[in-house]
Amino acid sequence: MSKNHPEAPALQISQWLNAEADLTLASLRGRVVVLHAFQMLCPACVSHGLPQAKKMQQLFDAKDVAVIGLHSVFEHHAVMTPEALKAFVHEYRLSFPIGIDQPSRGGIPATMREYQLQGTPSIVLIDRQGRIRLSHFGVIDDMVLGAAIGQLAAEVETTTLIARPSGDAGMVGTRDACGESGCPA
């Protein structure tokens, strides 16, 4: 695993929906973060991106993978208000946390600008250590995205299984990491 992946910038959110408290990447450290940037009036977001985000939330355990929406409005500002988004989230039954990207001068919202996103939909995968591992603009195949998320989620095996002396002479292992599904090598 390369350590040359950039650290993910802080999320610049003006308001959270579907979250009991404000989320930060620091509070999500230890989990893979799937950040889905969308606009509610973006056809590809509505037809593909948001259903995909809902699937990812259903398929992956929340203790390993956090799915977060990022509503990044860079056009049609007058109609894509927080109140309109609340109704949209209710109608589409979106239950994952959604942050409203902080507006900024120049029209491109703050988080979108910091992440250098090219538009919506966009997917950003952030590993357990808070590093950007994938940034993709446009529609991405479900299987490709699922495999990428699964690969990042599996990295906990290699990053937490640090060789250390065990009770066996000369053996290096992690027998205490064994569980009902087996013992990782």
Side-chain angles (χ1 to χ4, degrees):
M1 176 177 65
S2 171
K3 303 230 188 270
N4 295 329
H5 301 287
E7 187 167 335
L11 301 174
Q12 298 179 50
I13 305 299
S14 62
Q15 181 180 351
W16 283 98
L17 306 178
N18 297 337
E20 293 178 18
D22 291 353
L23 296 177
T24 64
L25 292 179
S27 72
L28 298 170
R29 190 71 38 103
R31 293 196 270 174
V32 174
V33 176
V34 179
L35 183 63
H36 171 65
F38 73 100
Q39 293 185 96
M40 64 182 152
L41 295 181
C42 164
C45 297
V46 174
S47 68
H48 186 79
L50 289 168
Q52 185 178 63
K54 286 172 72 171
K55 269 192 246 177
M56 294 303 125
Q57 182 191 29
Q58 293 166 353
L59 291 174
F60 290 97
D61 190 329
K63 75 178 189 326
D64 289 320
V65 177
V67 176
I68 298 175
L70 177 68
H71 192 245
S72 291
V73 178
F74 55 87
E75 57 189 358
H76 308 299
H77 295 270
V79 294
M80 287 200 274
T81 65
E83 288 306 311
L85 180 61
K86 287 177 189 175
F88 178 88
V89 166
H90 174 77
E91 290 299 318
Y92 281 85
R93 293 173 173 74
L94 303 175
S95 60
F96 50 86
I98 297 171
I100 300 173
D101 204 348
Q102 186 80 349
S104 66
R105 295 180 198 164
I108 302 298
T111 304
M112 185 177 202
R113 187 184 63 245
E114 284 294 314
Y115 279 77
Q116 300 176 7
L117 301 179
Q118 299 172 353
T120 58
S122 285
I123 289 282
V124 178
L125 297 183
I126 301 167
D127 69 16
R128 295 176 187 274
Q129 292 77 37
R131 299 175 307 216
I132 296 174
R133 300 292 291 274
L134 173 82
S135 183
H136 180 85
F137 166 64
V139 173
I140 187 170
D141 182 79
D142 289 349
M143 294 291 286
V144 171
L145 180 59
I149 296 167
Q151 190 173 23
L152 290 177
E155 284 183 359
V156 71
E157 304 268 338
T158 58
T159 57
T160 59
L161 295 181
I162 298 170
R164 63 182 187 267
S166 70
D168 295 336
M171 293 287 293
V172 175
T174 57
R175 287 204 301 226
D176 54 311
C178 294
E180 290 182 22
S181 61
C183 298

